[in-house]
């Protein structure tokens, strides 16, 4: 076991850009030591530099959520640096290739489905389960899964994307499963929808800023001990499943 200190540590996956970077920056401003998870060395180092320039106590963690080895090494790195983990934000996500009927359900490219599920769903399970032992060492551990209202079976919003939208429905369902499994513990798990945010993901063609998209994740990451569990939230409150 590594050093244990009073500063809370938060690991954000996909922290090198977009909403993940804004979450890392916001948690850094809130006093967390931020472990910026990112798979590309250069992009991760740049992000850590930017976080530190903004005043955050940040360090980089090599992390590809699709790799067992990478995730195991990331958990070991967090343990060595901080000894425990207070907050995990599962933010890394992909839309998968689109166009040419690739995500039309009637002509769906199953390889794209597999790729999207591997990152958006299995990646979250892989990272969460590797980090849970460190989260259990914290007094008030929080897990936030970055979902999307496109995964809401009630709203059925956004364009038809038959790999991406179901991946977020499954992530929502998994969030509920984790919350039920951890109901008798101090680990609080919720899902968040950031709204429609201008990032690489949307071709920067969306009304909300990354900071606005990050706000709900930061709120769920810093919930009090009697805060909601196993829910799906955006800035306005509960999002229908
Ligand atoms: P971006 O495309 O800007 O950023 C995605 C991040 O995930 C990048 O840091 C990317 O790293 C990382 N990532 C992708 N695959 C992996 C992987 N295998 N291992 C580690 N990191 C990976 O997207 P956004 O910031 O817009 O999206 C963040 C989250 O918010 C996603 O889960 C998305 O589904 C969700 N969301 C976004 C919305 C929006 O309007 N933007 C709306 C609803 C939900 P790299 O740079 O190396 O590719």
């Amino acid at each position: 076991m590594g050093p244990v200190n009073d500063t809370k540590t938060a690991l954000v996956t996909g922290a090198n850009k977009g909403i993940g970077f804004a979450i890392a920056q916001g948690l850094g401003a809130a006093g967390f030591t931020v472990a910026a998870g990112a798979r590309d060395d250069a992009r991760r180092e740049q992000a850590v530099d930017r976080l530190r320039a903004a005043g955050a106590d940040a360090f980089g963690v090599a992390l590809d959520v699709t790799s067992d080895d990478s995730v195991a090494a990331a958990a070991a790195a967090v343990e060595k640096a901080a000894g425990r983990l207070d907050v995990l934000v599962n933010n890394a996500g992909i839309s998968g290739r689109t166009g040419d009927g690739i995500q039309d359900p009637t002509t769906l490219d199953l390889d794209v489905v597999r790729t999207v599920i591997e990152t958006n769903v299995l990646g979250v399970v892989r990272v969460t389960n590797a980090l849970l032992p460190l989260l259990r060492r914290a007094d008030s551990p929080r897990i936030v899964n970055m979902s999307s209202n496109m995964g809401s079976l009630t709203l059925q919003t956004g364009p038809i994307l038959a790999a991406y939208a179901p991946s977020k429905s499954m992530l929502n369902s998994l969030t509920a499963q984790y919350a039920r499994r951890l109901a008798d513990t101090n680990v609080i798990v919720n899902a968040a929808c950031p709204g429609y945010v201008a990032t690489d993901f949307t071709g920067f063609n969306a009304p909300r800023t990354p900071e606005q998209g990050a706000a709900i994740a930061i709120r769920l990451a810093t919930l009090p001990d009697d805060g909601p569990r196993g829910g799906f939230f955006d800035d306005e409150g509960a999002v229908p499943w």
Side-chain angles (χ1 to χ4, degrees), residues 13-21 23 37-40 43 63-67 70 90-95 118-120 123 127 145-150 164 167-168 171 192-204 206-208 210 213:
T13 69
N16 54 289
K17 66 179 181 181
I19 298 166
F21 180 83
I23 294 168
R39 58 184 166 177
D40 180 87
R43 289 197 288 270
L63 177 54
D64 181 338
V65 303
T66 65
S67 160
S70 172
N90 287 306
N91 164 80
I94 57 172
S95 61
E118 187 62 55
T119 298
N120 295 4
V127 172
N145 293 333
M146 191 51 85
S147 184
S148 166
N149 57 16
M150 285 184 65
Y164 178 72
S167 79
K168 295 299 190 182
L171 178 59
C193 174
Y196 196 35
V197 178
T199 64
D200 267 342
F201 196 95
T202 54
F204 295 94
R208 285 163 66 81

Tab-separated table of all heavy atoms in Angstrom, residues 13-21 23 37-40 43 63-67 70 90-95 118-120 123 127 145-150 164 167-168 171 192-204 206-208 210 213, ligand 1:
chain	number	residue	atom	x	y	z
A	13	THR	N	-11.235	9.300	-16.571
A	13	THR	CA	-10.793	8.634	-17.798
A	13	THR	C	-11.095	9.542	-18.998
A	13	THR	O	-12.074	10.296	-18.988
A	13	THR	CB	-11.480	7.266	-17.984
A	13	THR	OG1	-12.870	7.455	-18.267
A	13	THR	CG2	-11.314	6.385	-16.756
A	14	GLY	N	-10.238	9.479	-20.006
A	14	GLY	CA	-10.416	10.366	-21.164
A	14	GLY	C	-10.300	11.820	-20.761
A	14	GLY	O	-11.084	12.666	-21.201
A	15	ALA	N	-9.283	12.120	-19.927
A	15	ALA	CA	-9.162	13.461	-19.343
A	15	ALA	C	-8.363	14.416	-20.213
A	15	ALA	O	-8.180	15.571	-19.838
A	15	ALA	CB	-8.512	13.365	-17.967
A	16	ASN	N	-7.893	13.948	-21.376
A	16	ASN	CA	-6.994	14.809	-22.142
A	16	ASN	C	-7.704	15.890	-22.935
A	16	ASN	O	-7.084	16.846	-23.380
A	16	ASN	CB	-6.102	13.974	-23.076
A	16	ASN	CG	-6.888	13.056	-23.981
A	16	ASN	OD1	-7.461	12.072	-23.521
A	16	ASN	ND2	-6.956	13.376	-25.270
A	17	LYS	N	-9.020	15.775	-23.114
A	17	LYS	CA	-9.721	16.811	-23.889
A	17	LYS	C	-11.213	16.776	-23.560
A	17	LYS	O	-11.691	15.911	-22.816
A	17	LYS	CB	-9.517	16.597	-25.396
A	17	LYS	CG	-10.153	15.321	-25.940
A	17	LYS	CD	-9.922	15.203	-27.446
A	17	LYS	CE	-10.575	13.946	-28.000
A	17	LYS	NZ	-10.364	13.781	-29.445
A	18	GLY	N	-11.922	17.723	-24.153
A	18	GLY	CA	-13.381	17.722	-24.091
A	18	GLY	C	-13.930	17.790	-22.672
A	18	GLY	O	-13.392	18.471	-21.797
A	19	ILE	N	-15.015	17.048	-22.454
A	19	ILE	CA	-15.696	17.086	-21.165
A	19	ILE	C	-14.798	16.506	-20.070
A	19	ILE	O	-14.773	17.014	-18.946
A	19	ILE	CB	-17.031	16.311	-21.260
A	19	ILE	CG1	-17.956	16.976	-22.291
A	19	ILE	CG2	-17.726	16.254	-19.901
A	19	ILE	CD1	-19.157	16.114	-22.700
A	20	GLY	N	-14.045	15.464	-20.394
A	20	GLY	CA	-13.168	14.848	-19.394
A	20	GLY	C	-12.134	15.830	-18.871
A	20	GLY	O	-11.864	15.884	-17.659
A	21	PHE	N	-11.540	16.623	-19.773
A	21	PHE	CA	-10.579	17.634	-19.327
A	21	PHE	C	-11.259	18.643	-18.412
A	21	PHE	O	-10.717	19.025	-17.364
A	21	PHE	CB	-9.933	18.347	-20.525
A	21	PHE	CG	-8.936	19.385	-20.099
A	21	PHE	CD1	-7.638	19.020	-19.774
A	21	PHE	CD2	-9.307	20.717	-19.974
A	21	PHE	CE1	-6.717	19.973	-19.340
A	21	PHE	CE2	-8.404	21.674	-19.534
A	21	PHE	CZ	-7.103	21.302	-19.229
A	23	ILE	N	-13.888	18.185	-16.563
A	23	ILE	CA	-14.169	17.547	-15.266
A	23	ILE	C	-12.895	17.559	-14.415
A	23	ILE	O	-12.924	17.892	-13.224
A	23	ILE	CB	-14.674	16.103	-15.463
A	23	ILE	CG1	-16.038	16.105	-16.167
A	23	ILE	CG2	-14.768	15.372	-14.125
A	23	ILE	CD1	-16.475	14.716	-16.656
A	37	GLY	N	-6.423	10.404	-16.587
A	37	GLY	CA	-6.264	9.187	-17.362
A	37	GLY	C	-6.385	9.479	-18.851
A	37	GLY	O	-7.348	10.096	-19.290
A	38	ALA	N	-5.385	9.042	-19.617
A	38	ALA	CA	-5.434	9.233	-21.068
A	38	ALA	C	-4.520	8.212	-21.728
A	38	ALA	O	-3.477	7.853	-21.176
A	38	ALA	CB	-5.012	10.651	-21.441
A	39	ARG	N	-4.917	7.770	-22.909
A	39	ARG	CA	-4.187	6.664	-23.539
A	39	ARG	C	-2.978	7.116	-24.337
A	39	ARG	O	-2.064	6.332	-24.556
A	39	ARG	CB	-5.140	5.874	-24.451
A	39	ARG	CG	-5.797	6.689	-25.529
A	39	ARG	CD	-6.792	5.870	-26.328
A	39	ARG	NE	-7.658	6.721	-27.147
A	39	ARG	CZ	-8.561	6.260	-27.979
A	39	ARG	NH1	-8.730	4.965	-28.123
A	39	ARG	NH2	-9.305	7.094	-28.686
A	40	ASP	N	-2.972	8.360	-24.800
A	40	ASP	CA	-1.873	8.848	-25.635
A	40	ASP	C	-0.906	9.665	-24.783
A	40	ASP	O	-1.310	10.618	-24.097
A	40	ASP	CB	-2.441	9.724	-26.770
A	40	ASP	CG	-1.349	10.262	-27.661
A	40	ASP	OD1	-0.975	9.557	-28.614
A	40	ASP	OD2	-0.847	11.375	-27.392
A	43	ARG	N	-0.659	13.545	-25.592
A	43	ARG	CA	-1.901	14.263	-25.241
A	43	ARG	C	-2.090	14.304	-23.719
A	43	ARG	O	-2.567	15.299	-23.166
A	43	ARG	CB	-3.113	13.583	-25.897
A	43	ARG	CG	-3.165	13.774	-27.407
A	43	ARG	CD	-4.544	13.459	-27.972
A	43	ARG	NE	-4.861	12.046	-27.986
A	43	ARG	CZ	-4.596	11.207	-28.989
A	43	ARG	NH1	-3.976	11.663	-30.058
A	43	ARG	NH2	-4.942	9.933	-28.938
A	63	LEU	N	-3.734	5.260	-19.567
A	63	LEU	CA	-4.960	4.489	-19.382
A	63	LEU	C	-5.736	4.358	-20.691
A	63	LEU	O	-6.303	5.312	-21.211
A	63	LEU	CB	-5.848	5.184	-18.333
A	63	LEU	CG	-7.211	4.569	-18.035
A	63	LEU	CD1	-7.098	3.107	-17.666
A	63	LEU	CD2	-7.892	5.333	-16.902
A	64	ASP	N	-5.726	3.129	-21.213
A	64	ASP	CA	-6.604	2.762	-22.327
A	64	ASP	C	-7.667	1.841	-21.746
A	64	ASP	O	-7.354	0.721	-21.296
A	64	ASP	CB	-5.804	2.055	-23.416
A	64	ASP	CG	-6.672	1.668	-24.613
A	64	ASP	OD1	-7.913	1.554	-24.452
A	64	ASP	OD2	-6.117	1.460	-25.704
A	65	VAL	N	-8.903	2.295	-21.757
A	65	VAL	CA	-9.956	1.552	-21.045
A	65	VAL	C	-10.280	0.212	-21.711
A	65	VAL	O	-10.962	-0.615	-21.107
A	65	VAL	CB	-11.247	2.390	-20.897
A	65	VAL	CG1	-10.962	3.698	-20.178
A	65	VAL	CG2	-11.930	2.632	-22.239
A	66	THR	N	-9.764	-0.012	-22.931
A	66	THR	CA	-10.039	-1.279	-23.613
A	66	THR	C	-8.986	-2.349	-23.326
A	66	THR	O	-9.095	-3.469	-23.819
A	66	THR	CB	-10.122	-1.078	-25.148
A	66	THR	OG1	-8.836	-0.672	-25.632
A	66	THR	CG2	-11.158	-0.041	-25.517
A	67	SER	N	-7.983	-2.008	-22.534
A	67	SER	CA	-6.871	-2.935	-22.282
A	67	SER	C	-6.801	-3.353	-20.819
A	67	SER	O	-6.637	-2.509	-19.927
A	67	SER	CB	-5.550	-2.262	-22.690
A	67	SER	OG	-4.449	-2.886	-22.057
A	70	SER	N	-3.386	-2.246	-19.421
A	70	SER	CA	-3.299	-0.807	-19.187
A	70	SER	C	-4.090	-0.408	-17.949
A	70	SER	O	-3.616	0.388	-17.123
A	70	SER	CB	-3.831	-0.051	-20.416
A	70	SER	OG	-3.936	1.327	-20.145
A	90	ASN	N	-15.888	7.781	-14.954
A	90	ASN	CA	-15.775	7.016	-16.200
A	90	ASN	C	-16.326	7.876	-17.326
A	90	ASN	O	-17.525	7.836	-17.631
A	90	ASN	CB	-16.555	5.705	-16.064
A	90	ASN	CG	-15.871	4.708	-15.175
A	90	ASN	OD1	-14.713	4.373	-15.380
A	90	ASN	ND2	-16.577	4.228	-14.157
A	91	ASN	N	-15.429	8.667	-17.909
A	91	ASN	CA	-15.833	9.629	-18.935
A	91	ASN	C	-15.490	9.178	-20.351
A	91	ASN	O	-16.198	9.534	-21.298
A	91	ASN	CB	-15.163	10.983	-18.639
A	91	ASN	CG	-15.208	11.918	-19.824
A	91	ASN	OD1	-16.212	12.564	-20.092
A	91	ASN	ND2	-14.104	11.972	-20.587
A	92	ALA	N	-14.404	8.420	-20.510
A	92	ALA	CA	-13.941	8.042	-21.857
A	92	ALA	C	-15.084	7.381	-22.625
A	92	ALA	O	-15.759	6.489	-22.114
A	92	ALA	CB	-12.751	7.096	-21.751
A	93	GLY	N	-15.285	7.834	-23.843
A	93	GLY	CA	-16.351	7.249	-24.651
A	93	GLY	C	-16.155	7.599	-26.108
A	93	GLY	O	-15.465	8.566	-26.446
A	94	ILE	N	-16.742	6.789	-26.951
A	94	ILE	CA	-16.650	7.010	-28.395
A	94	ILE	C	-18.044	6.865	-29.019
A	94	ILE	O	-18.901	6.154	-28.492
A	94	ILE	CB	-15.690	6.008	-29.080
A	94	ILE	CG1	-16.112	4.557	-28.821
A	94	ILE	CG2	-14.249	6.245	-28.623
A	94	ILE	CD1	-15.321	3.521	-29.621
A	95	SER	N	-18.221	7.531	-30.166
A	95	SER	CA	-19.496	7.385	-30.893
A	95	SER	C	-19.451	6.161	-31.800
A	95	SER	O	-20.478	5.577	-32.117
A	95	SER	CB	-19.766	8.622	-31.745
A	95	SER	OG	-18.740	8.782	-32.708
A	118	GLU	N	-17.086	-2.147	-26.401
A	118	GLU	CA	-15.795	-2.415	-25.733
A	118	GLU	C	-15.329	-1.190	-24.943
A	118	GLU	O	-14.852	-1.317	-23.805
A	118	GLU	CB	-14.745	-2.827	-26.769
A	118	GLU	CG	-13.431	-3.298	-26.194
A	118	GLU	CD	-13.541	-4.548	-25.324
A	118	GLU	OE1	-14.072	-5.574	-25.786
A	118	GLU	OE2	-13.118	-4.481	-24.159
A	119	THR	N	-15.484	-0.005	-25.539
A	119	THR	CA	-15.050	1.217	-24.847
A	119	THR	C	-16.115	1.714	-23.865
A	119	THR	O	-15.840	1.929	-22.677
A	119	THR	CB	-14.757	2.333	-25.880
A	119	THR	OG1	-13.695	1.905	-26.723
A	119	THR	CG2	-14.368	3.631	-25.192
A	120	ASN	N	-17.329	1.923	-24.342
A	120	ASN	CA	-18.340	2.635	-23.547
A	120	ASN	C	-18.937	1.790	-22.423
A	120	ASN	O	-19.463	2.341	-21.456
A	120	ASN	CB	-19.480	3.122	-24.454
A	120	ASN	CG	-19.029	4.163	-25.459
A	120	ASN	OD1	-17.852	4.477	-25.547
A	120	ASN	ND2	-19.961	4.688	-26.233
A	123	GLY	N	-15.308	-1.090	-21.023
A	123	GLY	CA	-14.250	-0.235	-20.480
A	123	GLY	C	-14.608	0.275	-19.087
A	123	GLY	O	-13.759	0.331	-18.195
A	127	VAL	N	-12.455	-0.669	-15.766
A	127	VAL	CA	-11.830	0.374	-14.936
A	127	VAL	C	-12.435	0.359	-13.528
A	127	VAL	O	-11.713	0.414	-12.526
A	127	VAL	CB	-12.018	1.760	-15.603
A	127	VAL	CG1	-11.556	2.874	-14.661
A	127	VAL	CG2	-11.245	1.828	-16.922
A	145	ASN	N	-20.577	7.704	-13.937
A	145	ASN	CA	-20.497	7.161	-15.295
A	145	ASN	C	-21.080	8.175	-16.272
A	145	ASN	O	-22.245	8.560	-16.157
A	145	ASN	CB	-21.284	5.846	-15.378
A	145	ASN	CG	-20.625	4.755	-14.554
A	145	ASN	OD1	-19.415	4.775	-14.331
A	145	ASN	ND2	-21.418	3.798	-14.097
A	146	MET	N	-20.245	8.625	-17.211
A	146	MET	CA	-20.711	9.635	-18.163
A	146	MET	C	-21.544	8.948	-19.248
A	146	MET	O	-21.025	8.266	-20.116
A	146	MET	CB	-19.515	10.377	-18.760
A	146	MET	CG	-19.908	11.610	-19.540
A	146	MET	SD	-20.991	12.716	-18.636
A	146	MET	CE	-19.820	13.679	-17.703
A	147	SER	N	-22.840	9.143	-19.142
A	147	SER	CA	-23.775	8.526	-20.069
A	147	SER	C	-24.287	9.575	-21.052
A	147	SER	O	-23.586	10.551	-21.347
A	147	SER	CB	-24.921	7.889	-19.263
A	147	SER	OG	-25.798	7.206	-20.113
A	148	SER	N	-25.485	9.371	-21.558
A	148	SER	CA	-26.094	10.315	-22.510
A	148	SER	C	-27.588	10.097	-22.507
A	148	SER	O	-28.056	8.956	-22.373
A	148	SER	CB	-25.553	10.048	-23.921
A	148	SER	OG	-26.356	10.720	-24.877
A	149	ASN	N	-28.327	11.194	-22.693
A	149	ASN	CA	-29.777	11.009	-22.794
A	149	ASN	C	-30.157	10.243	-24.068
A	149	ASN	O	-31.280	9.775	-24.202
A	149	ASN	CB	-30.536	12.335	-22.672
A	149	ASN	CG	-30.118	13.356	-23.697
A	149	ASN	OD1	-29.475	13.019	-24.703
A	149	ASN	ND2	-30.462	14.617	-23.461
A	150	MET	N	-29.190	10.079	-24.986
A	150	MET	CA	-29.457	9.219	-26.152
A	150	MET	C	-29.649	7.761	-25.731
A	150	MET	O	-30.203	6.961	-26.486
A	150	MET	CB	-28.314	9.315	-27.169
A	150	MET	CG	-28.347	10.621	-27.952
A	150	MET	SD	-27.072	10.655	-29.217
A	150	MET	CE	-27.621	9.331	-30.283
A	164	TYR	N	-24.051	3.462	-30.683
A	164	TYR	CA	-23.783	4.391	-29.572
A	164	TYR	C	-24.925	4.453	-28.567
A	164	TYR	O	-24.702	4.301	-27.353
A	164	TYR	CB	-23.507	5.791	-30.131
A	164	TYR	CG	-23.262	6.822	-29.053
A	164	TYR	CD1	-22.081	6.811	-28.315
A	164	TYR	CD2	-24.219	7.802	-28.762
A	164	TYR	CE1	-21.859	7.755	-27.324
A	164	TYR	CE2	-23.996	8.752	-27.769
A	164	TYR	CZ	-22.808	8.723	-27.056
A	164	TYR	OH	-22.589	9.649	-26.067
A	167	SER	N	-25.298	1.539	-26.342
A	167	SER	CA	-24.161	1.401	-25.415
A	167	SER	C	-24.417	2.215	-24.156
A	167	SER	O	-24.054	1.802	-23.046
A	167	SER	CB	-22.839	1.818	-26.081
A	167	SER	OG	-22.675	3.227	-26.123
A	168	LYS	N	-25.061	3.368	-24.312
A	168	LYS	CA	-25.344	4.200	-23.139
A	168	LYS	C	-26.544	3.645	-22.364
A	168	LYS	O	-26.603	3.793	-21.140
A	168	LYS	CB	-25.559	5.653	-23.562
A	168	LYS	CG	-24.324	6.319	-24.167
A	168	LYS	CD	-23.137	6.374	-23.200
A	168	LYS	CE	-22.000	7.256	-23.731
A	168	LYS	NZ	-20.825	7.306	-22.845
A	171	LEU	N	-24.936	1.086	-20.325
A	171	LEU	CA	-24.171	1.731	-19.257
A	171	LEU	C	-25.113	2.173	-18.130
A	171	LEU	O	-24.788	2.027	-16.947
A	171	LEU	CB	-23.386	2.933	-19.815
A	171	LEU	CG	-22.579	3.737	-18.791
A	171	LEU	CD1	-21.543	2.865	-18.090
A	171	LEU	CD2	-21.905	4.935	-19.465
A	192	ALA	N	-24.442	10.261	-15.423
A	192	ALA	CA	-24.647	11.676	-15.743
A	192	ALA	C	-24.841	11.867	-17.234
A	192	ALA	O	-24.243	11.150	-18.044
A	192	ALA	CB	-23.430	12.489	-15.287
A	193	CYS	N	-25.676	12.842	-17.587
A	193	CYS	CA	-25.764	13.292	-18.984
A	193	CYS	C	-25.275	14.727	-19.045
A	193	CYS	O	-25.804	15.591	-18.342
A	193	CYS	CB	-27.192	13.209	-19.508
A	193	CYS	SG	-27.336	13.940	-21.168
A	194	PRO	N	-24.274	15.007	-19.899
A	194	PRO	CA	-23.690	16.360	-19.935
A	194	PRO	C	-24.467	17.357	-20.788
A	194	PRO	O	-24.120	18.531	-20.825
A	194	PRO	CB	-22.314	16.111	-20.554
A	194	PRO	CG	-22.542	14.955	-21.489
A	194	PRO	CD	-23.571	14.079	-20.805
A	195	GLY	N	-25.508	16.891	-21.493
A	195	GLY	CA	-26.149	17.747	-22.492
A	195	GLY	C	-25.377	17.685	-23.793
A	195	GLY	O	-24.480	16.850	-23.960
A	196	TYR	N	-25.707	18.571	-24.706
A	196	TYR	CA	-25.135	18.545	-26.051
A	196	TYR	C	-23.966	19.531	-26.083
A	196	TYR	O	-24.156	20.746	-26.074
A	196	TYR	CB	-26.228	18.908	-27.053
A	196	TYR	CG	-25.924	18.570	-28.480
A	196	TYR	CD1	-25.190	17.438	-28.831
A	196	TYR	CD2	-26.383	19.393	-29.508
A	196	TYR	CE1	-24.913	17.148	-30.143
A	196	TYR	CE2	-26.121	19.097	-30.833
A	196	TYR	CZ	-25.385	17.983	-31.137
A	196	TYR	OH	-25.110	17.692	-32.449
A	197	VAL	N	-22.735	18.987	-26.079
A	197	VAL	CA	-21.543	19.773	-25.759
A	197	VAL	C	-20.598	19.885	-26.961
A	197	VAL	O	-20.350	18.893	-27.665
A	197	VAL	CB	-20.803	19.118	-24.566
A	197	VAL	CG1	-19.536	19.888	-24.233
A	197	VAL	CG2	-21.713	19.048	-23.343
A	198	ALA	N	-20.048	21.068	-27.148
A	198	ALA	CA	-19.101	21.324	-28.238
A	198	ALA	C	-17.743	20.711	-27.908
A	198	ALA	O	-16.978	21.266	-27.112
A	198	ALA	CB	-18.967	22.823	-28.471
A	199	THR	N	-17.474	19.567	-28.503
A	199	THR	CA	-16.192	18.866	-28.344
A	199	THR	C	-15.865	18.213	-29.688
A	199	THR	O	-16.664	18.274	-30.633
A	199	THR	CB	-16.273	17.741	-27.276
A	199	THR	OG1	-17.213	16.764	-27.747
A	199	THR	CG2	-16.708	18.261	-25.921
A	200	ASP	N	-14.725	17.521	-29.752
A	200	ASP	CA	-14.400	16.737	-30.951
A	200	ASP	C	-15.538	15.781	-31.292
A	200	ASP	O	-15.832	15.521	-32.460
A	200	ASP	CB	-13.131	15.897	-30.714
A	200	ASP	CG	-11.880	16.620	-31.169
A	200	ASP	OD1	-12.015	17.578	-31.958
A	200	ASP	OD2	-10.781	16.235	-30.738
A	201	PHE	N	-16.145	15.245	-30.242
A	201	PHE	CA	-17.208	14.245	-30.367
A	201	PHE	C	-18.359	14.735	-31.231
A	201	PHE	O	-18.950	13.984	-32.004
A	201	PHE	CB	-17.706	13.944	-28.948
A	201	PHE	CG	-18.521	12.710	-28.785
A	201	PHE	CD1	-17.914	11.531	-28.391
A	201	PHE	CD2	-19.885	12.721	-28.989
A	201	PHE	CE1	-18.659	10.379	-28.222
A	201	PHE	CE2	-20.635	11.574	-28.816
A	201	PHE	CZ	-20.021	10.400	-28.442
A	202	THR	N	-18.691	16.012	-31.082
A	202	THR	CA	-19.819	16.617	-31.821
A	202	THR	C	-19.333	17.520	-32.949
A	202	THR	O	-20.110	18.315	-33.476
A	202	THR	CB	-20.695	17.449	-30.864
A	202	THR	OG1	-19.853	18.391	-30.189
A	202	THR	CG2	-21.409	16.566	-29.857
A	203	GLY	N	-18.058	17.421	-33.308
A	203	GLY	CA	-17.513	18.324	-34.317
A	203	GLY	C	-17.575	19.767	-33.863
A	203	GLY	O	-17.615	20.692	-34.679
A	204	PHE	N	-17.564	19.980	-32.558
A	204	PHE	CA	-17.643	21.318	-31.954
A	204	PHE	C	-18.887	22.071	-32.410
A	204	PHE	O	-18.924	23.286	-32.397
A	204	PHE	CB	-16.358	22.125	-32.220
A	204	PHE	CG	-15.169	21.513	-31.543
A	204	PHE	CD1	-14.341	20.619	-32.225
A	204	PHE	CD2	-14.883	21.773	-30.213
A	204	PHE	CE1	-13.260	20.017	-31.598
A	204	PHE	CE2	-13.806	21.171	-29.579
A	204	PHE	CZ	-12.984	20.297	-30.265
A	206	ALA	N	-22.203	22.217	-31.177
A	206	ALA	CA	-23.211	21.980	-30.143
A	206	ALA	C	-23.220	23.191	-29.218
A	206	ALA	O	-22.222	23.918	-29.118
A	206	ALA	CB	-22.881	20.706	-29.354
A	207	PRO	N	-24.348	23.441	-28.551
A	207	PRO	CA	-24.500	24.709	-27.823
A	207	PRO	C	-23.776	24.810	-26.488
A	207	PRO	O	-23.479	25.910	-26.035
A	207	PRO	CB	-26.019	24.802	-27.601
A	207	PRO	CG	-26.517	23.401	-27.665
A	207	PRO	CD	-25.596	22.672	-28.603
A	208	ARG	N	-23.484	23.675	-25.843
A	208	ARG	CA	-22.941	23.777	-24.490
A	208	ARG	C	-21.411	23.711	-24.485
A	208	ARG	O	-20.811	23.056	-25.335
A	208	ARG	CB	-23.524	22.666	-23.605
A	208	ARG	CG	-24.979	22.951	-23.211
A	208	ARG	CD	-25.677	21.724	-22.703
A	208	ARG	NE	-25.149	21.203	-21.452
A	208	ARG	CZ	-25.439	21.672	-20.239
A	208	ARG	NH1	-26.253	22.705	-20.096
A	208	ARG	NH2	-24.928	21.116	-19.165
A	210	PRO	N	-17.694	22.620	-22.709
A	210	PRO	CA	-17.225	21.487	-21.899
A	210	PRO	C	-17.419	21.726	-20.404
A	210	PRO	O	-17.745	20.793	-19.662
A	210	PRO	CB	-15.745	21.370	-22.275
A	210	PRO	CG	-15.686	21.900	-23.662
A	210	PRO	CD	-16.689	23.024	-23.712
A	213	GLY	N	-20.905	20.989	-19.593
A	213	GLY	CA	-21.113	19.543	-19.630
A	213	GLY	C	-20.514	18.839	-18.424
A	213	GLY	O	-21.027	17.808	-17.971
B	1	LIG	P1	-14.262	13.672	-26.880
B	1	LIG	O1	-14.256	12.865	-28.123
B	1	LIG	O2	-13.925	15.111	-26.927
B	1	LIG	O3	-13.340	12.978	-25.778
B	1	LIG	C1	-13.416	11.602	-25.538
B	1	LIG	C2	-12.304	11.214	-24.597
B	1	LIG	O4	-12.359	9.781	-24.403
B	1	LIG	C3	-10.917	11.515	-25.165
B	1	LIG	O5	-10.068	11.903	-24.110
B	1	LIG	C4	-10.491	10.180	-25.725
B	1	LIG	O6	-9.087	10.022	-25.808
B	1	LIG	C5	-11.070	9.272	-24.658
B	1	LIG	N1	-11.087	7.878	-25.061
B	1	LIG	C6	-11.735	7.301	-26.103
B	1	LIG	N2	-11.453	5.993	-26.156
B	1	LIG	C7	-10.621	5.736	-25.114
B	1	LIG	C8	-9.974	4.574	-24.639
B	1	LIG	N3	-10.092	3.389	-25.252
B	1	LIG	N4	-9.201	4.674	-23.527
B	1	LIG	C9	-9.045	5.856	-22.902
B	1	LIG	N5	-9.608	7.000	-23.324
B	1	LIG	C10	-10.380	6.929	-24.421
B	1	LIG	O7	-15.745	13.454	-26.275
B	1	LIG	P2	-16.598	14.261	-25.199
B	1	LIG	O8	-15.709	14.977	-24.257
B	1	LIG	O9	-17.656	15.012	-25.912
B	1	LIG	O10	-17.329	13.043	-24.470
B	1	LIG	C11	-16.990	12.591	-23.179
B	1	LIG	C12	-18.080	11.643	-22.699
B	1	LIG	O11	-19.341	12.326	-22.686
B	1	LIG	C13	-18.283	10.428	-23.599
B	1	LIG	O12	-18.524	9.286	-22.782
B	1	LIG	C14	-19.525	10.770	-24.416
B	1	LIG	O13	-20.237	9.624	-24.818
B	1	LIG	C15	-20.307	11.587	-23.393
B	1	LIG	N6	-21.296	12.499	-23.991
B	1	LIG	C16	-20.911	13.539	-24.788
B	1	LIG	C17	-21.867	14.400	-25.337
B	1	LIG	C18	-21.501	15.599	-26.157
B	1	LIG	O14	-22.426	16.311	-26.579
B	1	LIG	N7	-20.222	15.877	-26.422
B	1	LIG	C19	-23.300	14.186	-25.085
B	1	LIG	C20	-23.596	13.056	-24.230
B	1	LIG	C21	-22.612	12.264	-23.707
B	1	LIG	P3	-8.278	10.284	-27.209
B	1	LIG	O15	-8.041	11.760	-27.291
B	1	LIG	O16	-7.031	9.477	-27.018
B	1	LIG	O17	-9.134	9.774	-28.327
